[in-house]
Amino acid sequence: MTLSISSVALRFALLCSTALAAPLAAQAQESRSGTVSELVITASRPIAESEAAALRTQKRSDSLVAVAASDSVGRLPDQNIAQAASRLPGVAVERDQGQARYVSLRGAPNYWTTLSFDGINVVSPEGRDARFDSVPSAIASQIIVSKAVTPDMPGETVSGNVNIITRSAFDYPGLKLGGKVGYGIAELGDKPQYEAYGVASNRYDLGDGEFGFVLSASYFQRDMVTDNFETDFERVSQDQRPGSLTRFWAHEAENKLYRLTRKNWSVSGRGDWRQGDNQISFRSIYTTFTDDEMRDNYRFDLDDRQSDLAPLADACAATTNPTPTNTGYADVCIGNTPLKGTVYGIDIRQRSTLRAFEQSIFTNTLEGQHGFDGGWTLNWLANYTESTDDRGVVGDASWDSPSTRTLRPTVAYDFTDPDRSRLLLSTTLQLSSPTRYQAGTPVKAIDTFTKPLTALTVLDAVDTTTAYTGQVWVAKEAEFLGGEATFRVGLQYDQRTKVADEKNLVVNQAAQFTAIGIPTDYNAFSLDQAFLGKIPMDYTFRYFDAEKMRAAAGAARKAYAFNPVTGNNFEVREQVLAGYAMGTVKWDWGSAIGGVRVENLKNRGTAVATVAGVTGPITAESDRTLVFPSLHVNVNLDDSKKLRLSYNSGAARADYDQLRPNVTVNDANQSISGGNPAVRPELAHGFDAYLEWYVEPQGYLMAGVFFKRVEDVLYRQTRVFGSDALNSNGIDRSGYVFSGITNGGDGRLVGLELAAQFQLEPWAESLGVPEWMGGFGVSANATFNNSRVLKPAIGSIPVRKLRLPGTSDEVYNVSGYYEKYGLSLRLSYQRRSAWLDGFADDLADAGDTYWDADDELDFSARYEVNKNVEVYFDATNLLNNPGRRFAEPGNLLTATGVPTGFTDIYTIEWERFGRRFAGGVRVTF
């Protein structure tokens, strides 16, 4: 059966196939953090029942958690774990290409959040910044977000942990088969979306115990295009006219125009055996994320002849002059301003990039639990995880304007609208004087300008992280201080090794171009394809031909040898030996968890570096011991109200590549990053106080305050590289963005969290409303933050007091739904306020950078045809607001003595991704 719906660019098909609905049974299961998880019973009101089950889990927990039950995840338009978790109180996300990627808890930096599968911390392909978009939500029965850190959690857990509880055969009464299939469409570019999922599970009575298995697989494909422009601003040393201190000029303007296909697929298997108090479980999960990307990047090098501007300091009349004696860049005397003006005869540096990006996680766990007389329990586990990050580039072609100025365009730029980058092109005419030019005929088609091929680069780059984890712990039940206590001691050993292996080949000679058969005229390398996006552009262009790129890159691979990029290759090994002791005591009036964790942390990094002109291997090592105490007290004010108080501590560690003893160059992203093996962990001590009210007959209210004190704040120094030291093979890297990790001053984060959740059904009769109105429900939460960190003085920039990087002042989630008579409708709104992305360390750039506020509105509809069949429809990103990054120099200028009141901000990145619509069927037996 196929159903077509038309509205604007909306089309979706409902395809029949086997599909998985939520489990038919509930089972209690204890996680390592002491949290009791519970699966949802599927019925005609899945949202209401899953929320009720999640609240029961939260209420029984001895620490502060938020829970998304399996049915809640499955019945929202949430394909990955990040988006699914973002519905919970205090959870926000950072997006890439419009897709939720990183999780931030209570507005804190994303690297404060750790990712676990069934309680085992998992190494993300990127490192400590756990990427949640590589994990499909289909593998989860529950997502448990722990905001209170306990001694059995790794010390790198600062703001909390996202624990994905995988499905077990014991969640179901017997044989379970199901599946799901769906199709969708993207409004921007009219691109398709595909989704499929399947599961099989069964249990067997062996006489001497019971065995169960569950197998599942999922697939998700999303084709898309994006609208994008980027602008990089800088201080210009030659601009010394009055007011120059507050002027930042666009040295480069560009459009990055993406065509891409993203895929997630996973396979997982789990087998469990149990007999009485003994249980052994084996779990294996493989999940991969691929991003096949075609990027047409038109870069306008506005500061190509910056040195033509005379460094004069006297005042001048800003009078429009269409025939200046220089290019006009940063020249206020001819009427140009940082946001509007004309530059004559500029260089187009064009890049055509074809990437085959892939990230994967393969994690395997063998775990046992054994009960003994006298209340003793022994638990053990062994885990092996391998994460890979394939950053390979199939081919990257560079096209550059020739040195002859009359073959280059004149560009009239206008950046006065923060949501628009206007670049009007015309030919460049030379006047009688060899240093004077003027604009000629307007040009619409940018590819009519000569841009010869200068280089083709092929990159093979794979980062592999292997991790071994072993845990053993012993628990004893006893009476203590009049309560029922469980005392637990444990040891854990982790070894993680990240190896970066990068090599490339660069073809940059005319004879080489001929040998591999690549056209040197861009028009012969491109397609006659209309622009697929909707962003207003003042010029037309031609997309590059991906098949011609593959052919040229393949020929280059056969004809030439790869060379290792020694400056980018490294190995970093981390070893953590941890021991902890903790006790959980339960009384009639409440409970308490207390204890301490001690970690010995060793790091060793090896790389090849060039020092004082000598190249050779370099090794750096560090060894430190950290202590993390914590205490959590829960007071039952009555049967429905809980007061939760806690103290916890943790230490965020620098990422593995940030600990390497060398420098990494990424030509695809035009970035340079440097390692710092001596950087210290970022220590945090926090206090929480929360009041929870589980309203009868149904409802939930919560209010809480939290505080964290941070020492040795980790931050990335970010600036334009500004040197030709790394230029090679015809590639100019002086304009790349350089970043490196270091420790700053101390800081703090204080906040307020609120949540409410109500369904009308249990109240309908007492309120006297019609029966049909009982289907309405609402859930809402909000987090308010205030953060400050002292950034140390650097050069002429004094000590500054700023936000903690990565924190948002406000995070909102609001969902309203209606479900009754088999119909389920839900509208969800999320908002995250602006957050600091990077500090500025000098006056060279346009100040500190921020990501602007992010607003998302999603809609989902479900209809239960019968107990086995459900149809669904999802609409995501309905607001279609752009992602916007901007620079704000006001704080930096004030710190250096420039008069206050400066309010200009500069858009440095802008993207829009379009609405998406999808539908399908789920069937379960």
Side-chain angles (χ1 to χ4, degrees), residues 58 64-67 85-92 104-107 145-148 159 687-692 700-707 750-756 780-786 809-813:
Q58 293 174 200
L64 183 63
V65 301
V67 179
S86 71
R87 313 292 176 181
L88 297 174
V91 180
S104 168
L105 296 183
R106 298 193 290 200
V145 178
S146 298
K147 302 175 187 176
S159 63
F687 299 90
D688 300 323
Y690 277 69
L691 178 63
E692 299 175 342
Y700 174 66
L701 292 171
M702 179 268 286
V705 294
F706 54 90
F707 172 85
V750 61
L752 168 68
E753 187 175 359
L754 305 171
N781 57 78
T783 304
F784 304 94
N785 281 329
N786 184 279
D809 290 347
E810 300 168 0
V811 177
Y812 302 100
N813 288 285

Side-chain angles (χ1 to χ4, degrees), residues 58 113 134 184 202 204 246 301 359 373 417 681 762:
Q58 293 174 200
T113 304
S134 63
N202 206 356
Y204 302 92
T246 60
D301 194 7
Q359 292 190 333
D373 294 339
D417 183 347

Side-chain angles (χ1 to χ4, degrees), residues 322-570:
T323 60
T325 57
N326 57 71
T327 64
Y329 179 68
D331 189 350
V332 295
C333 298
I334 67 166
N336 283 351
T337 71
L339 299 181
K340 191 172 184 178
T342 303
V343 183
Y344 300 84
I346 63 97
D347 178 23
I348 300 175
R349 294 191 295 155
Q350 180 182 340
R351 298 280 288 275
S352 306
T353 307
L354 178 62
R355 299 181 65 190
F357 177 86
E358 181 175 2
Q359 292 190 333
S360 64
I361 299 173
F362 182 41
T363 182
N364 306 271
T365 302
L366 180 64
E367 181 175 7
Q369 177 178 321
H370 310 280
F372 302 94
D373 294 339
W376 289 92
T377 302
L378 170 67
N379 289 69
W380 55 268
L381 69 82
N383 174 269
Y384 170 76
T385 297
E386 181 175 301
S387 297
T388 61
D389 182 5
D390 187 338
R391 303 178 282 107
V393 177
V394 176
D396 182 86
S398 299
W399 317 81
D400 289 276
S401 298
S403 58
T404 303
R405 299 288 288 282
T406 54
L407 296 178
R408 298 177 168 195
T410 288
V411 177
Y413 63 89
D414 185 348
F415 309 130
T416 54
D417 183 347
D419 294 318
R420 179 83 186 271
S421 174
R422 299 209 63 180
L423 301 167
L424 298 174
L425 311 181
S426 62
T427 60
T428 302
L429 302 179
Q430 184 173 357
L431 302 179
S432 56
S433 170
T435 61
R436 297 178 71 88
Y437 297 85
Q438 71 176 15
T441 306
V443 175
K444 190 70 172 178
I446 192 173
D447 294 321
T448 60
F449 287 104
T450 300
K451 304 186 302 299
L453 178 67
T454 56
L456 173 68
T457 302
V458 181
L459 176 69
D460 284 351
V462 179
D463 298 344
T464 304
T465 305
T466 55
Y468 299 89
T469 297
Q471 290 185 20
V472 60
W473 63 97
V474 177
K476 175 70 168 76
E477 296 180 355
E479 291 186 2
F480 182 72
L481 298 178
E484 298 179 356
T486 300
F487 296 101
R488 178 171 159 184
V489 294
L491 292 174
Q492 178 173 333
Y493 175 77
D494 292 276
Q495 177 174 300
R496 299 173 179 176
T497 304
K498 183 169 185 175
V499 177
D501 182 12
E502 183 173 327
K503 56 188 177 182
N504 70 1
L505 67 85
V506 179
V507 177
N508 56 12
Q509 302 296 323
Q512 295 176 321
F513 297 151
T514 301
I516 66 174
I518 184 172
T520 57
D521 179 354
Y522 178 73
N523 289 284
F525 191 71
S526 59
L527 300 169
D528 187 14
Q529 165 72 61
F531 179 46
L532 296 170
K534 293 186 177 180
I535 187 173
M537 293 182 62
D538 300 291
Y539 61 88
T540 61
F541 73 100
R542 295 170 63 95
Y543 290 107
F544 77 86
D545 188 330
E547 294 307 314
K548 291 182 179 179
M549 178 73 81
R550 288 191 179 93
R557 285 177 175 272
K558 293 178 181 178
Y560 306 104
F562 278 83
N563 295 307
V565 186
T566 55
N568 293 355
N569 294 335
F570 63 88

